[in-house]
Amino acid sequence: MSVIDELQSLVGGIAQSVGASVVGIGNRRARGSGIVVAPGKVLTNAHNLWRDEVHITFHDGRTATGKLAGADVDGDIAVVDVDTNDAPALEVSGNGTTPDLGQVVFALSNPGGRGLRVTFGLVSGTQRSFRGPRGRRITGSLEHTAPLLPGSSGGPVVDSDGRLLGVNTNRLGEGFYLAIPADSTLRNRMDNLARGETPARPQLGIGVAPAEVARGLRRAVGLDEVDGLLVRQVMDDGPAHAAGVREGDLIVEAGGRSAADADALFEALADAAGSIELKVLRGVEERSITVDLS
């Protein structure tokens, strides 16, 4: 058997064994893919969902309306309750096996229910990171080169035996894609979401600009350059607004640690117990602001 014949056989086998577990999410306006992971449960990306009711298309063309069980927006995963009928589940084993660089992988999708797609590529990197929908860093991701159409996020990347390696989530420009690994962490998060246990991560209710933007703006108006996060938006109903944080404030410390980048701020928030103290510069004036996170 030639290499081409072997590859054709592999792709066909993956489509046959895994394709029925891949569903379409949404419709014309918002579309993505998902994975049947248990009877009555579909796993997808949180960014694919716009409301609690979710339109789902199965491999045989059947459509159903599912209901959101739980979503982790910062981690970009969600679980939907829906009648999966006879669609087989693709197990999230959580065995923690890391694919080797150069390993052949297959990506499957059903963008918005428009039909199954199967592509192949190679593992090009592991332990990669990217930012989720609200800016928090998602780490440990699998990078691969199996091409994906728009609407493929939420679909699976599998090995040559059809075992789930990850959930396709992010495009890295030309020809590279990132998937959330199907490890024990994903297994636990998925189980919690399926029970309706949505994680509650502290939020300040602000939008910030990175340190280089803050330095440039301060330099432009003749102020000393200082590392920190420039507050460019304060939500009216957020904890920061209630505490007196203003647009234009420069956050230089959070919880007693430097706030030189967004990751440092997120780490400080994760460690906060009920409230967090921010040190901000308002022009040349330094202020301490205690924000109630409860």
Side-chain angles (χ1 to χ4, degrees):
M1 180 181 291
S2 70
V3 172
I4 292 178
D5 289 338
E6 185 175 355
L7 184 57
Q8 288 177 335
S9 178
L10 275 172
V11 172
I14 292 296
Q16 183 70 28
S17 63
V18 180
S21 303
V22 182
V23 303
I25 301 289
N27 47 34
R28 294 179 181 177
R29 289 184 297 173
R31 64 182 185 271
S33 300
I35 310 164
V36 178
V37 290
K41 304 293 180 184
V42 165
L43 176 68
T44 188
N45 288 137
H47 74 253
N48 287 334
L49 308 181
W50 296 90
R51 54 181 62 89
D52 285 348
E53 289 191 346
V54 185
H55 183 79
I56 294 180
T57 304
F58 291 88
H59 71 290
D60 57 3
R62 181 177 69 92
T63 62
T65 299
K67 186 172 180 59
L68 179 66
D72 178 359
V73 177
D74 290 322
D76 205 9
I77 63 167
V79 173
V80 178
D81 288 330
V82 65
D83 177 14
T84 53
N85 199 2
D86 61 351
L90 189 57
E91 183 184 5
V92 182
S93 64
N95 59 21
T97 302
T98 301
D100 296 325
L101 292 177
Q103 179 176 331
V104 174
V105 294
F106 300 85
L108 297 93
S109 63
N110 188 351
R114 297 185 177 187
L116 181 68
R117 269 76 168 175
V118 185
T119 60
F120 71 92
L122 304 174
V123 174
S124 51
T126 59
Q127 299 300 316
R128 298 297 307 274
S129 64
F130 64 98
R131 296 200 180 278
R134 292 198 296 211
R136 290 182 186 262
R137 190 174 294 278
I138 298 174
T139 60
S141 300
L142 170 68
E143 180 188 293
H144 67 85
T145 62
L148 296 172
L149 288 170
S152 296
S153 60
V157 56
V158 302
D159 65 14
S160 58
D161 293 320
R163 291 175 297 206
L164 183 64
L165 298 177
V167 181
N168 287 311
T169 301
N170 193 53
R171 185 187 301 269
L172 277 179
E174 295 298 325
F176 294 91
Y177 307 86
L178 293 176
I180 297 172
D183 55 14
S184 58
T185 299
L186 178 62
R187 170 86 252 180
N188 293 336
R189 290 164 60 203
M190 185 185 75
D191 289 347
N192 291 339
L193 292 174
R195 292 191 294 266
E197 300 173 4
T198 299
R201 295 185 176 92
Q203 303 283 337
L204 288 173
I206 60 174
V208 297
E212 55 268 24
V213 173
R215 287 195 297 269
L217 288 175
R218 288 180 66 86
R219 182 171 61 248
V221 296
L223 296 174
D224 292 338
E225 294 182 37
V226 180
D227 285 334
L229 297 169
L230 182 69
V231 178
R232 60 183 182 185
Q233 180 186 16
V234 181
M235 299 176 189
D236 290 342
D237 57 351
H241 180 269
V245 177
R246 299 180 184 175
E247 291 183 18
D249 284 350
L250 183 69
I251 302 174
V252 294
E253 286 187 10
R257 67 183 74 176
S258 172
D261 56 37
D263 291 330
L265 179 59
F266 288 139
E267 289 172 6
L269 282 169
D271 293 338
S275 65
I276 189 169
E277 184 174 350
L278 304 179
K279 183 181 289 185
V280 306
L281 288 179
R282 187 168 294 166
V284 296
E285 181 185 357
E286 183 176 284
R287 297 183 175 214
S288 290
I289 301 177
T290 300
V291 180
D292 183 4
L293 300 173
S294 58

